[in-house]
């Protein structure tokens, strides 16, 4: 596997199974449309640069109609009892199981993940379906003791209506599903604006979803608007008829979205960039630490929000840990992710390769030494792909701007510490606060890391790496990582509005806080 012919054969098989064509629509407003302005987006594979398809994109005019149709669907969908909505999501999970291999391969073709990672992403969608089915019977509100006689006080949760989901390229469908399936069982309808780099995956997924709804005689509830570079995302941020925007992407775009949505007093869930570190202490199991750091830094070619970007290593471990890490980086095969022994595929585009080169240059200028990598790779037969060698840099100051910035590429900075407090200070000195890890079998070190003086991140891992999270927990980060929570635990509450209800079932009108207001005596 490696030639253009093999990749084309893959593409044809995948397209046939998923009902995709060379020319497809990226606008689903209740039916697939051509887009009022006739604009098109060419989608390329980062594996070999070949064009995969030509996609019709949505304009602002299309978007207005789409929102109207979505609200019409909401009026029907939100009246269905939640457990019945759960049954539909269960059927969606079953349909996804059927298409798991093709969708996994499409993700590989479109964003350059390995097919195993692509299938893992589809598995995550299936898992969140299962979670949402259970949730559909557990949308609990509390009942509180009223301070007034003959009064009942309780809360219940209503859907917001039509909610907007804007996603990044690197998890082209799993992150959408964390939002969409939870939102759907609550009774919301979802409008999705995917990354233009991952338009085909979004089209294939939307197709599958609405086929299932159609089979159940239900209106479409998963709408789609592909754009070329964020125009529809801007419309969504301004749109009063989208009470909630869930945004996944870079910190800089997230700040723009937050400002626009806040200006109209809408709600946001922000899942932004990370700058994740793993602390390795002298009490770490060296094998677990090595695998955890290597996987965290290399998986998805360093293009995960949870990628390990900083290794905070006790200075006594330099001679034992670093050479093994360097050889692990050197041994990893970079290339066509469709080949079974390749672990690191391409970066998403030429711009990402440029960012990789620029970051290494800045790190060297700040005093860093390259221990591994620092090369743009050319893979025979795939010359137009975007490949780089996973890189380790040593000696860059922990507070250097380049270390404080998320570069979406496989670059790992080695930072050293002597005392644990120093490790925590280094750990927390970056603006982002998404995922973190400590490798240690020392209870005191572990508990300190998990205490208020330890990790300041939304996700804290012990003896497992920063990358890869289970759907059962609430996922999200602090500081510049946005503060949003998605997926499991009680993250569902963000997709619902809480209504506090007071019912007086007695013959009098007692007021709260003992206030008296006797209208009859004042007459
Ligand atoms: P990006 O910020 O470039 O784009 C994200 C999405 O926003 C895309 O759909 C894009 O088209 C859209 N967009 C662009 N401009 C917009 C605007 N002005 N208004 C509204 N939408 C706009 O991010 P990316 O390069 O696709 O993804 C990589 C980034 O996403 C990294 O920073 C990564 O850490 C982050 N990410 C975070 C999480 C998380 O859960 N915290 C998960 C995945 C990715």
């Amino acid at each position: 596997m490696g030639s253009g012919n093999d990749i084309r054969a893959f593409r044809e098989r995948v397209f046939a199974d998923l009902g995709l064509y060379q020319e497809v629509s990226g606008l689903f407003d209740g039916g697939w449309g051509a887009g009022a302005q006739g604009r098109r987006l060419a989608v390329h594979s980062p594996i070999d640069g070949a064009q995969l398809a030509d996609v019709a994109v949505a304009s602002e005019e299309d978007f207005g109609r789409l929102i109207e149709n979505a609200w019409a669907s909401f009026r029907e969908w939100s009246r269905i009892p939640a457990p019945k909505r759960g049954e539909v999501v269960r059927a969606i999970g079953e349909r996804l199981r059927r298409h798991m291999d093709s969708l996994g391969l499409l993700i590989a073709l479109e964003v350059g993940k390995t097919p195993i990672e692509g299938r893992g992403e589809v598995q995550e969608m299936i898992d969140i379906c299962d979670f949402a089915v259970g949730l559909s019977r557990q949308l609990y509100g509390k009942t509180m003791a009223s301070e007034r006689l003959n009064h009942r006080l309780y809360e219940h949760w209503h859907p917001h209506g039509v909610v907007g989901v804007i996603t990044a390229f690197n998890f082209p469908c799993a992150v959408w599903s964390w939002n969409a399936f939870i939102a759907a069982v609550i009774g919301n309808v979802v409008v999705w604006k995917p990354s233009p780099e991952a338009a085909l995956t979004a089209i294939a997924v939307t197709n599958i979803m609405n086929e299932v709804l159609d089979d159940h005689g239900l209106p479409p509830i998963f709408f789609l608007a592909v754009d070329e570079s964020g125009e529809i995302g801007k419309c969504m941020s301004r749109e009063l008829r989208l009470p909630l925007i869930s945004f996944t992407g870079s910190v800089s775009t997230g700040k723009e979205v937050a400002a626009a949505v806040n200006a109209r007093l809408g709600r946001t869930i922000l899942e932004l960039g990370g700058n994740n570190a793993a602390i390795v202490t002298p009490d770490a199991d060296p094998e677990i630490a090595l695998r955890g750091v290597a996987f965290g830094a290399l998986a998805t070619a360093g293009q995960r929000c949870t990628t390990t970007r900083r290794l905070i290593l006790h200075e006594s471990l330099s001679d034992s840990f670093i050479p093994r890490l360097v050889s692990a980086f050197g041994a990893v095969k970079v290339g066509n992710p469709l080949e079974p022994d390749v672990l690191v595929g391409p970066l998403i585009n030429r711009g990402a390769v440029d960012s990789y080169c620029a970051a290494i240059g800045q790190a060297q200028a700040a005093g860093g030494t390259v221990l591994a990598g620092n090369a743009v790779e050319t893979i025979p037969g795939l010359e137009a792909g975007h490949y780089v060698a996973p890189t380790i840099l040593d000696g860059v100051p922990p507070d250097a701007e380049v270390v404080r910035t998320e570069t979406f590429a496989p670059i790992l900075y080695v930072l050293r510490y002597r005392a644990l407090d120093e490790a925590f200070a280094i750990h927390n000195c970056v603006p982002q606060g998404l995922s973190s890890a400590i490798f240690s079998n020392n209870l005191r070190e572990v508990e300190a890391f998990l205490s208020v003086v330890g990790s300041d991140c939304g996700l804290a891992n012990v003896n497992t790496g920063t990358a890869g999270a289970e759907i059962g927990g609430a996922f999200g980060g602090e500081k510049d990582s946005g503060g949003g929570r998605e997926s499991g635990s009680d993250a569902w509450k963000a997709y619902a509005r809480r209504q506090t209800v007071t019912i007086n079932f007695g013959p009098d009108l007692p007021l709260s806080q003992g206030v008296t207001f006797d209208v009859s005596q004042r007459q």
Side-chain angles (χ1 to χ4, degrees):
M1 164 67 58
S3 77
N5 282 341
D6 293 332
I7 296 172
R8 270 194 296 282
F10 251 100
R11 173 188 167 280
E12 268 155 38
R13 211 176 80 208
V14 167
F15 272 37
D17 184 59
L18 296 171
L20 294 172
Y21 302 94
Q22 174 61 36
E23 293 194 359
V24 282
S25 168
L27 168 66
F28 184 86
D29 63 2
W32 291 102
Q37 291 180 3
R39 295 207 310 262
R40 321 262 333 162
L41 169 76
V43 175
H44 295 94
S45 172
I47 298 175
D48 61 352
Q51 184 170 330
L52 291 172
D54 184 37
V55 176
V57 299
S59 65
E60 200 162 340
E61 192 183 333
D62 301 314
F63 178 71
R65 191 179 54 252
L66 180 153
I67 294 285
E68 273 168 35
N69 294 348
W71 275 98
S73 285
F74 172 73
R75 286 187 276 280
E76 212 175 313
W77 177 248
S78 57
R79 287 173 55 82
I80 297 171
K84 297 267 184 266
R85 293 194 291 256
E87 287 299 318
V88 178
V89 172
R90 184 202 302 280
I92 286 175
E94 291 303 328
R95 194 69 58 95
L96 284 170
R97 281 181 171 89
R98 236 191 269 167
H99 292 291
M100 159 107 82
D101 282 346
S102 298
L103 265 180
L105 278 171
L106 179 62
I107 293 168
L109 284 170
E110 194 174 29
V111 302
K113 291 188 182 194
T114 63
I116 288 181
E117 287 183 313
R119 275 197 296 274
E121 191 161 342
V122 184
Q123 183 61 50
E124 208 166 311
M125 297 177 84
I126 294 166
D127 293 344
I128 200 80
C129 280
D130 289 347
F131 184 92
V133 174
L135 180 67
S136 70
R137 291 182 181 271
Q138 299 175 75
L139 299 166
Y140 303 135
K142 286 181 177 158
T143 299
M144 284 70 69
S146 170
E147 66 190 42
R148 286 173 280 179
L149 185 65
N150 293 331
H151 277 58
R152 187 153 81 86
L153 183 62
Y154 73 98
E155 62 191 17
H156 64 193
W157 296 83
H158 292 296
H160 287 300
V162 180
V163 302
V165 180
I166 302 173
T167 52
F169 80 85
N170 65 321
F171 277 97
C173 52
V175 168
W176 171 80
S177 72
W178 296 352
N179 288 277
F181 299 150
I182 302 283
V185 294
I186 293 168
N188 298 286
V189 163
V190 180
V191 175
W192 182 9
K193 195 221 84 69
S195 164
E197 306 281 5
L200 292 179
T201 305
I203 292 167
V205 166
T206 303
N207 218 359
I208 294 170
M209 300 301 108
N210 288 309
E211 264 173 27
V212 175
L213 285 151
D214 202 36
D215 291 351
H216 284 74
L218 290 167
I221 61 161
F222 298 113
F223 291 71
L224 179 72
V226 172
D227 64 6
E228 290 143 311
S229 60
E231 307 78 14
I232 295 290
K234 288 182 193 161
C235 292
M236 288 170 74
S237 301
R238 289 193 301 265
E239 177 57 64
L240 286 170
R241 291 171 293 171
L242 290 176
L244 169 71
I245 298 289
S246 173
F247 174 83
T248 304
S250 58
V251 173
S252 57
T253 316
K255 284 182 177 170
E256 273 183 53
V257 170
V261 180
N262 289 345
R264 62 172 172 91
L265 301 182
R267 297 184 196 214
T268 51
I269 300 171
L270 299 173
E271 296 287 355
L272 311 182
N275 192 351
N276 318 292
I279 299 173
V280 178
T281 84
D283 284 325
D285 177 319
E287 303 308 317
I288 289 183
L290 185 70
R291 288 184 58 206
V293 171
F295 175 79
L298 298 170
T300 322
Q303 299 171 109
R304 291 190 182 200
C305 52
T306 52
T307 292
T308 307
R309 307 200 180 280
R310 299 175 297 142
L311 165 63
I312 304 174
L313 186 71
H314 191 268
E315 60 172 9
S316 66
L317 299 175
S318 287
D319 292 345
S320 56
F321 198 79
I322 298 292
R324 294 189 67 197
L325 189 66
V326 168
S327 77
F329 267 54
V332 147
K333 190 165 173 196
V334 177
N336 180 354
L338 302 174
E339 284 179 9
D341 56 342
V342 166
L343 288 182
V344 174
L347 296 184
I348 190 67
N349 53 32
R350 184 57 48 196
V353 175
D354 293 344
S355 300
Y356 162 91
C357 296
I360 295 172
Q362 286 162 29
Q364 287 174 311
T369 310
V370 173
L371 300 183
N374 187 22
V376 175
E377 306 266 13
T378 304
I379 311 293
L382 308 175
E383 285 78 7
H386 313 299
Y387 298 89
V388 299
T391 297
I392 303 177
L393 279 146
D394 196 3
V396 190
D399 58 355
E401 200 45 42
V402 69
V403 179
R404 286 164 48 82
T405 306
E406 178 198 50
T407 302
F408 224 49
I411 300 175
L412 181 69
Y413 301 102
V414 179
L415 313 168
R416 291 196 178 65
Y417 79 95
R418 288 194 189 118
L420 203 56
D421 284 353
E422 192 191 347
F424 295 159
I426 293 171
H427 182 278
N428 294 343
C429 81
V430 297
Q432 309 84 350
L434 184 55
S435 187
S436 58
I438 190 167
F439 289 89
S440 172
N441 287 331
N442 179 322
L443 182 69
R444 289 184 181 159
E445 289 179 339
V446 168
E447 287 293 339
F449 174 74
L450 298 174
S451 79
V452 69
V453 299
S455 163
D456 62 359
C457 291
L459 309 170
N461 300 285
V462 177
N463 294 328
T464 184
T466 60
E470 295 186 25
I471 61 106
F475 182 93
E478 302 300 335
K479 305 197 292 184
D480 272 7
S481 298
R485 291 295 184 276
E486 289 175 354
S487 191
S489 184
D490 63 353
W492 66 270
K493 290 180 176 169
Y495 305 88
R497 63 182 168 86
R498 182 196 317 240
Q499 192 165 63
T500 303
V501 181
T502 308
I503 300 175
N504 174 6
F505 56 91
D508 303 314
L509 185 66
L511 301 178
S512 53
Q513 291 89 41
V515 172
T516 57
F517 190 79
D518 192 343
V519 183
S520 58
Q521 282 176 6
R522 289 165 197 236
Q523 281 174 344

